[in-house]
Amino acid sequence: MPSPVSNKERQDAKHSLRPSVLLIYTGGTIGMVRNEETGALESFNFDRLLEEVPELRRFDCRISTYTFDPPIDSSDMTLNHWAKLVRIIDYNYNYFDGFVILHGTDTMSYTASALSFMLENLGKPVILTGSQLPIGMLRTDGKENLITAIEIASARRADGSPMVPEVCIYFKDKLLRGNRTTKIYADQFNAFRSFNYPELASVGINIQYHEQNIRRPDPDKPFKPHLLVDPNVTVLTLFPGITRQLVHSVLHIPGLRAVVLRTFGAGNAPQLDWFKDELREASERGIIFMNITQCQAGSVVMGLYETSLPLIEAGVVSGYDSTPECAITKLMFLIGHNLPSEELRRLVGTNLRGEISK
């Protein structure tokens, strides 16, 4: 795969005694600067990154850049863009110590979740960050987010291994496991939250890494990138008064292969015969169901209440404390591999990348 990073630059990064980071700009608010003549916000050329963020010159770190052409708004992020990110990381994996992805905030949790599954046995940091204000504005949060993300991506332990070999989101003083995050604010600097898993690092005067929370790769297995994802997933959110016609229509979407079922409380659903019949019939057709709670915090505990028993009988699998973003992308990843039905159901309820607590 051709790369905007030159072979010389990659080789220099590989053989450098300093840590090396590849900065990948996909688009989003962080990459904007104000045109002094028109006053409009425009994407800036990340080849001129040091001109916009001169503080980076003080890093004892080599920084190379890769820019999507054209940059995209994160609302336009697709499965093809996820695959492109995987290819970029895979192509440059042996040359850089870490990767920072600059990304719009609206779908950042989806991308972070997807990449956590698509980058199996990841042994290097992949840190997603962005900003709520453009990097060219006076009060921007973009500079601090970018500078700290690069510092984390280049950080090493005493034995020389990466400090945080995970797909993470860094935003407003917190480093979070990517597949545990949800965007909670549209207009606050602390835009992301991880309700069911603690921070991997806290940032103040110093960066405090919480090593007991950090997931590490299996040293006996290689890094394995995946490109296969299937978009034939939908979300069915239950609510009082939901009709059979609506449920039937959703479960008969052409090509549908998996459903994220957002239930009440600890995984409960209506005790309606027609609802049980619709789920059972869809399950018999091979549709996979993952049960997650509508609550922001907490976990599905199927069988705890009688109202969840029909879901078990219909073959619905617990998603435990998965976020909606993680549940959707995990199903896309799993059904993309055309696994046998029983194996697929087993993996849906298995902790693959630290995405669920069991």
Side-chain angles (χ1 to χ4, degrees):
M1 167 186 165
S3 171
V5 183
S6 70
N7 284 331
K8 181 181 185 305
E9 193 169 3
R10 294 162 75 226
Q11 291 294 337
D12 287 347
K14 181 176 181 178
H15 298 294
S16 174
L17 296 178
R18 297 182 294 156
S20 57
V21 172
L22 179 60
L23 182 66
I24 305 167
Y25 175 58
T26 66
T29 301
I30 193 170
M32 299 291 182
V33 291
R34 188 177 300 280
N35 185 308
E36 297 300 329
E37 295 182 3
T38 65
L41 292 173
E42 301 173 347
S43 295
F44 76 84
N45 183 346
F46 266 78
D47 291 337
R48 296 173 45 241
L49 180 63
L50 291 177
E51 296 177 26
E52 299 293 338
V53 192
E55 295 90 341
L56 294 179
R57 296 183 189 277
R58 299 173 63 183
F59 266 120
D60 186 26
C61 173
R62 292 184 60 91
I63 301 171
S64 299
T65 60
Y66 184 124
T67 303
F68 273 29
D69 186 18
I72 62 167
D73 186 275
S74 75
S75 298
D76 293 322
M77 188 63 62
T78 67
L79 278 64
N80 288 334
H81 293 118
W82 294 343
K84 179 176 181 177
L85 285 168
V86 171
R87 289 190 182 98
I88 294 168
I89 292 169
D90 180 37
Y91 189 70
N92 294 284
Y93 190 78
N94 293 325
Y95 298 91
F96 293 90
D97 297 304
F99 302 85
V100 171
I101 300 174
L102 300 182
H103 194 292
T105 59
D106 287 346
T107 61
M108 189 183 292
S109 289
Y110 289 95
T111 296
S113 295
L115 292 180
S116 76
F117 297 112
M118 298 170 77
L119 300 171
E120 182 179 352
N121 209 44
L122 179 68
K124 297 184 179 183
V126 175
I127 314 297
L128 284 84
T129 195
S131 67
Q132 297 286 62
L133 287 175
I135 206 166
M137 294 187 69
L138 184 62
R139 293 183 55 251
T140 183
D141 55 328
K143 284 190 178 182
E144 192 279 327
N145 286 347
L146 171 59
I147 289 167
T148 306
I150 291 173
E151 185 170 354
I152 292 170
S154 62
R156 298 173 177 175
R157 302 166 78 197
D159 64 2
S161 62
M163 186 66 75
V164 189
E166 290 201 42
V167 178
C168 306
I169 287 179
Y170 175 75
F171 226 86
K172 184 56 178 175
D173 305 334
K174 294 179 175 62
L175 182 70
L176 308 172
R177 178 169 294 161
N179 58 32
R180 294 288 194 142
T181 62
T182 295
K183 185 179 179 182
I184 60 166
Y185 289 119
D187 57 359
Q188 300 291 321
F189 286 154
N190 58 335
F192 292 88
R193 186 73 56 82
S194 173
F195 288 99
N196 290 316
Y197 196 78
E199 300 164 13
L200 305 187
S202 307
V203 178
I205 295 175
N206 299 304
I207 300 178
Q208 182 181 1
Y209 294 97
H210 308 302
E211 293 213 41
Q212 71 278 12
N213 301 333
I214 297 172
R215 185 179 173 88
R216 303 208 171 272
D218 185 336
D220 297 324
K221 294 181 180 179
F223 165 63
K224 184 177 180 181
H226 294 273
L227 300 175
L228 298 176
V229 280
D230 189 321
N232 289 298
V233 174
T234 195
V235 179
L236 177 57
T237 300
L238 303 185
F239 56 87
I242 194 169
T243 66
R244 182 169 193 169
Q245 181 182 9
L246 187 152
V247 172
H248 183 85
S249 296
V250 169
L251 300 185
H252 286 81
I253 295 172
L256 181 66
R257 297 189 61 194
V259 177
V260 176
L261 191 64
R262 299 190 68 208
T263 55
F264 307 121
N268 305 309
Q271 297 291 290
L272 299 169
D273 289 339
W274 65 258
F275 183 73
K276 302 173 193 176
D277 292 341
E278 290 288 348
L279 292 188
R280 187 180 301 108
E281 187 273 335
S283 186
E284 290 171 354
R285 285 190 283 117
I287 292 177
I288 302 297
F289 290 90
M290 182 194 289
N291 183 8
I292 66 170
T293 177
Q294 295 179 31
C295 304
Q296 287 187 303
S299 181
V300 161
V301 186
M302 293 178 65
L304 180 62
Y305 296 100
E306 185 179 359
T307 47
S308 66
L309 294 178
L311 302 181
I312 297 174
E313 295 169 3
V316 176
V317 181
S318 177
Y320 300 94
D321 55 353
S322 298
T323 66
E325 297 90 339
C326 176
I328 291 166
T329 54
K330 182 176 183 178
L331 287 176
M332 287 179 171
F333 170 75
L334 290 175
I335 65 175
H337 287 74
N338 292 313
L339 301 166
S341 181
E342 286 307 309
E343 176 67 0
L344 186 54
R345 283 188 168 87
R346 184 187 71 80
L347 291 174
V348 166
T350 300
N351 182 21
L352 300 178
R353 308 285 194 269
E355 75 278 8
I356 57 178
S357 307
K358 293 181 65 174

